[in-house]
């Protein structure tokens, strides 16, 4: 059907499904809402009626003629051209008309088929002077999904909605969508839908997550874990990583299944053993999810399965033999060294139970010192090299110039992640070391000084990281750990920055950012207060523990 009349409503009224008073150039609804009115819509729209793809039939051409005419016409400019369309139908451009108002022109078209002799052999149609073009192949659903996902990757490049902020593994996922398993396909469908919803200004953040697709993706993941097949292990890891990140960004009202996802990732990755063969995608997926796995180990009070010698040796060998970028190699080596974090927190908790346990304090110092020395070497080598090469540049700060005169600009998100993650763990490990030195009555003034220096590095990252909202949500962890070293003015800056980074989350996952909630999380992830399974905020206000 062609020439279907369209509504005269402006775009704003059409989206709201309300009547438009058509008082253009700005209708009443747009004027009251302070919107820019789109004005009247076009009078007609044209849709494909399917005639062009029909097979030739012996019907008379008079029965198949159709014409399109629109608007008040002016002078006729005569018959123009003939073109063949798929199926042998001839599209005849009969006449061209000039609109009475405006510069537009319109064509009167006619669809017809060539006449056949009445007794012609139907098995051998007469040759056409104009060959029909080869019909385009139909895109498979998986190819269409991959195309949509690639569009999402490229559409917001360099902005805070760039999906590559989640890690380099995201770029490799489309090539895995040909797998027979639905687990990755359903996760990608959820990512595409949620990301697309987040780009629509008319939708509130609470509606970005499609609950139907979310439930479907969780069901497919549970089935894949229960009936685990090594051939689709990479798909299962990718689906878990995507769901984990989706929940952190978009599922802030209903709560996240972070514990289950972290446990599932640890089980699938460790199930293959330390000397398993990692593909490039498997390597990136493993380390893109490493912080969440270590974080869950800390909450559960257990050591990381990846901290033992076989695993660290295997990981280092795989990283060194890979062809990934140097900045990613440095980032992945950092994660391998930080597998000691959950073990240090467990020792701090033991010291909290028995402050006179000097053996535990000595063990804590023995484990923390090599990791701290590694971070210092990385600061003097890798990070200094990035600054010399221009990948990290110190520039004038225009946001909080009184408190922080200069700030950092980064080449890309991978460089920024390496820089602020290095600073965050430099603070975490020194906080655990401080507990051991207190038990041994061995005061080390350098600990407090270095914590403040690395906290300042994190604050200097904020102006650039602010441009990576909303997907760079993991930076909030570094901001929280920097809070303890700050003075009163700097703490106000940290609270404002945390709220700004999570501007779209109503409410934030731990509630309102205040001194008590920030310090409860900082102390919880350094072992100084326990984690308690409750949503009662009074335990944090009273300093009794951290909610989880």
């Amino acid at each position: 059907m062609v020439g279907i009349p369209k509504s005269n409503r402006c775009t704003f009224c059409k989206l709201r499904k309300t009547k438009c008073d058509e008082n253009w150039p700005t209708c009443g609804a747009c004027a009251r809402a302070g919107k820019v009115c789109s004005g009247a819509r076009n009078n007609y729209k044209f849709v494909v009626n399917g005639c062009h793809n029909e097979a030739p039939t012996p019907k008379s051409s008079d029965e198949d003629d159709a014409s399109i005419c629109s608007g008040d016409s002016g002078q006729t400019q005569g018959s123009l051209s003939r073109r063949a369309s798929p199926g042998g139908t001839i599209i005849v451009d009969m006449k061209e008309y000039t609109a009475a108002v405006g510069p537009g022109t319109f064509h009167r078209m006619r669809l017809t088929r060539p006449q056949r002799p009445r007794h012609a052999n139907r098995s051998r149609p007469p040759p056409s002077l104009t060959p029909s073009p080869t019909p385009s192949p139909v895109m498979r659903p998986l190819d269409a999904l991959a195309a949509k996902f690639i569009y999402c990757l490229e559409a917001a490049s360099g902005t805070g909605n760039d999906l590559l902020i989640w890690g380099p593994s995201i770029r490799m996922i489309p090539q895995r969508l040909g797998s027979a398993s639905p687990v990755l396909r359903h996760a990608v469908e959820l990512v595409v839908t949620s990301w697309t919803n987040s780009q629509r200004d008319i939708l509130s953040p609470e509606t970005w997550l499609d609950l139907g697709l979310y439930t479907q993706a969780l069901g497919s993941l549970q089935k894949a874990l229960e009936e685990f097949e090594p051939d689709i292990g990479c798909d299962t890891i990718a689906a878990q990583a995507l769901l984990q990140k989706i929940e952190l960004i978009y599922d802030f009202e209903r709560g996240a299944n972070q514990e289950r996802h972290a446990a599932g990732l640890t089980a699938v990755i460790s199930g293959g053993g330390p000397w398993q063969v990692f593909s490039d995608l498997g390597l990136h997926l493993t380390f893109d999810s490493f912080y969440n796995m270590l974080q869950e180990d800390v909450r559960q009070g257990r050591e990381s399965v990846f901290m033992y010698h076989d695993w660290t040796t295997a990981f280092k060998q795989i990283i060194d033999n890979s062809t990934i970028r140097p900045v990613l190699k440095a980032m992945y080596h950092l994660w391998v060294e930080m597998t000691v974090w959950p073990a240090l927190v467990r020792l701090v908790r033991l010291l909290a139970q028995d402050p006179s346990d000097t053996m535990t304090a000595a063990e804590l110092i023995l484990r923390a010192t090599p990791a701290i020395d590694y971070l210092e070497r990385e600061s003097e080598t890798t990070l200094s090299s990035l600054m010399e090469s221009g990948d990290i540049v110190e520039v004038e700060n225009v946001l909080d110039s009184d408190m922080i005169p200069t700030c950092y600009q980064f080449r890309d998100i991978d460089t920024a992640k390496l820089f602020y993650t290095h600073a965050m763990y430099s603070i975490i490990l020194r906080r655990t070391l401080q507990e051991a030195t207190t038990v041994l009555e061995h005061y080390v003034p350098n600990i407090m000084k270095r914590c403040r220096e690395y906290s300042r590095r994190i604050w200097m990252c904020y102006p650039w990281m602010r441009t990576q909202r909303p997907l760079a949500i993991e930076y909030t962890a570094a901001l929280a750990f920097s809070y303890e070293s700050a003075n009163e003015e700097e703490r106000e800056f940290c609270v404002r920055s945390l709220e700004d980074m999570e501007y779209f989350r109503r409410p934030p996952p731990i509630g309102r950012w205040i001194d008590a909630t920030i310090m409860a999380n900082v102390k919880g992830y350094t072992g100084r207060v326990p984690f308690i399974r409750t949503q009662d905020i009074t335990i944090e206000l009273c300093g009794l523990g951290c909610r989880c």
Side-chain angles (χ1 to χ4, degrees):
M1 184 180 294
V2 296
I4 303 172
K6 296 177 74 173
S7 169
N8 283 331
R9 292 180 293 180
C10 69
T11 303
F12 181 67
C13 292
K14 187 173 179 63
L15 289 174
R16 296 180 61 197
K17 297 182 180 178
T18 59
K19 185 177 180 180
C20 182
D21 62 13
E22 302 181 13
N23 186 22
W24 295 307
T26 301
C27 70
C30 290
R32 288 189 297 273
K35 301 288 185 179
V36 177
C37 188
S38 65
R41 302 170 64 86
N42 295 332
N43 291 330
Y44 290 92
K45 66 179 179 180
F46 299 96
V47 296
V48 176
N49 58 7
C51 294
H52 305 303
N53 296 324
E54 294 178 358
T57 62
K59 293 181 181 180
S60 170
S61 61
D62 294 336
E63 297 174 0
D64 298 307
D65 291 347
S67 63
I68 302 173
C69 184
S70 175
D72 296 330
S73 59
Q75 183 179 356
T76 302
Q77 298 185 12
S79 180
L80 297 177
S81 64
R82 290 175 172 242
R83 286 178 291 179
S85 65
T89 304
I90 302 298
I91 305 175
V92 183
D93 193 345
M94 301 296 293
K95 297 178 182 179
E96 181 179 355
Y97 298 87
T98 302
V101 179
T105 60
F106 303 91
H107 292 263
R108 183 171 181 271
M109 315 296 291
R110 185 176 185 180
L111 308 179
T112 185
R113 296 189 179 93
Q115 288 280 2
R116 285 189 179 185
R118 181 169 297 182
H119 301 292
N121 185 356
R122 296 181 182 274
S123 63
R124 297 181 61 187
S128 175
L129 297 177
T130 307
S132 299
T134 304
S136 59
V138 178
M139 184 177 288
R140 296 186 308 158
L142 286 178
D143 294 335
L145 178 60
K148 291 178 182 177
F149 190 60
I150 292 172
Y151 170 79
C152 294
L153 292 177
E154 297 176 349
S157 178
T159 71
N161 288 297
D162 188 348
L163 287 174
L164 294 178
I165 291 174
W166 285 353
S169 61
I170 301 297
R171 192 185 295 277
M172 302 180 182
I173 287 179
Q175 58 190 277
R176 292 288 305 182
L177 288 175
S179 171
S181 172
V183 61
L184 181 57
R185 181 173 72 252
H186 291 161
V188 170
E189 288 175 351
L190 177 63
V191 171
V192 169
T193 303
S194 301
W195 184 90
T196 304
N197 288 341
S198 70
Q199 305 305 296
R200 301 173 63 187
D201 294 336
I202 61 173
L203 295 180
S204 62
E206 292 83 358
T207 62
W208 288 352
L209 188 72
D210 188 303
L211 290 181
L213 293 178
Y214 177 57
T215 303
Q216 174 182 262
L218 286 177
S220 297
L221 178 59
Q222 182 176 357
K223 183 177 180 181
L225 290 173
E226 292 173 351
E227 305 171 3
F228 182 73
E229 299 178 20
D231 294 341
I232 62 169
C234 195
D235 291 2
T236 305
I237 296 174
Q240 280 189 306
L242 289 177
L243 282 171
Q244 191 174 55
K245 295 182 184 300
I246 277 286
E247 289 175 353
L248 279 172
I249 301 298
Y250 302 121
D251 188 33
F252 49 86
E253 277 198 337
R254 290 164 287 278
N257 298 307
Q258 296 302 302
E259 180 180 343
R260 294 186 181 89
H261 291 318
L265 284 165
T266 303
V268 174
I269 295 170
S270 62
W275 300 105
Q276 61 184 295
V277 178
F278 280 90
S279 63
D280 288 344
L281 176 59
L283 178 66
H284 289 306
L285 284 169
T286 298
F287 288 105
D288 284 350
S289 307
F290 227 72
Y291 174 73
N292 303 100
M293 291 188 287
L294 295 180
Q295 188 182 40
E296 188 57 34
D297 289 333
V298 170
R299 282 197 291 262
Q300 298 301 322
R302 64 193 178 214
E303 295 183 346
S304 171
V305 68
F306 303 117
M307 70 169 288
Y308 300 108
H309 182 264
D310 285 350
W311 276 104
T312 57
T313 303
F315 275 143
K316 290 177 182 178
Q317 181 176 325
I318 293 168
I319 294 168
D320 291 335
N321 293 336
S322 67
T323 58
I324 60 178
R325 295 172 55 206
V327 68
L328 290 177
K329 283 189 177 184
M331 185 76 221
Y332 295 169
H333 275 296
L334 174 63
W335 285 124
V336 174
E337 296 294 336
M338 292 307 105
T339 53
V340 73
W341 173 30
L344 297 180
V345 171
R346 186 182 65 83
L347 293 174
V348 172
R349 288 175 181 166
L350 293 176
L351 287 179
Q353 297 171 8
D354 184 6
S356 63
D357 189 352
T358 57
M359 293 295 292
T360 300
E363 181 184 356
L364 198 159
I365 292 176
L366 188 64
R367 289 194 178 193
T369 302
I372 293 175
D373 292 342
Y374 167 81
L375 291 172
E376 287 298 310
R377 290 195 303 272
E378 283 295 287
S379 179
E380 296 171 0
T381 56
T382 303
L383 298 185
S384 296
S385 175
L386 290 171
M387 290 180 178
E388 292 173 2
S389 64
D391 290 344
I392 303 175
V393 181
E394 190 171 346
V395 299
E396 182 182 358
N397 183 14
V398 297
L399 291 179
D400 293 274
S401 56
D402 294 338
M403 190 184 78
I404 308 174
T406 59
C407 61
Y408 292 116
Q409 295 288 311
F410 301 95
R411 175 188 175 186
D412 52 33
I413 188 64
D414 295 329
T415 306
K417 280 184 178 180
L418 172 63
F419 190 81
Y420 75 70
T421 302
H422 175 277
M424 180 182 73
Y425 278 111
S426 296
I427 297 171
I428 292 173
L429 297 192
R430 282 178 170 81
R431 292 298 180 194
T432 61
L433 182 63
Q434 186 178 18
E435 296 300 308
T437 58
T438 301
V439 170
L440 297 175
E441 297 181 352
H442 178 62
Y443 179 68
V444 181
N446 187 47
I447 292 179
M448 300 296 293
K449 179 181 177 182
R450 296 298 285 168
C451 283
R452 180 162 178 81
E453 289 175 359
Y454 284 110
S455 295
R456 193 167 184 83
R457 285 191 180 187
I458 293 172
W459 302 334
M460 292 172 70
C461 295
Y462 170 70
W464 192 87
M465 292 303 302
R466 188 177 184 273
T467 65
Q468 307 301 304
R469 299 175 303 167
L471 298 188
I473 199 70
E474 292 178 352
Y475 171 67
T476 57
L479 273 174
F481 281 111
S482 72
Y483 182 84
E484 191 172 4
S485 301
N487 58 34
E488 183 177 354
E489 180 186 4
E490 291 163 345
R491 288 192 173 193
E492 291 178 359
F493 162 78
C494 288
V495 172
R496 289 197 311 270
S497 301
L498 285 167
E499 292 174 347
D500 195 29
M501 289 298 296
E502 295 193 341
Y503 72 97
F504 64 98
R505 298 168 73 88
R506 303 183 181 89
I510 64 168
R512 188 165 166 242
W513 285 111
I514 57 176
D515 179 81
T517 58
I518 298 173
M519 288 303 301
N521 277 266
V522 171
K523 291 182 177 180
Y525 284 104
T526 51
R528 290 174 283 172
V529 297
F531 284 97
I532 301 175
R533 290 184 178 275
T534 181
Q535 291 303 312
D536 185 4
I537 195 174
T538 57
I539 67 166
E540 294 181 352
L541 296 176
C542 299
L544 301 177
C546 179
R547 292 175 291 166
C548 68

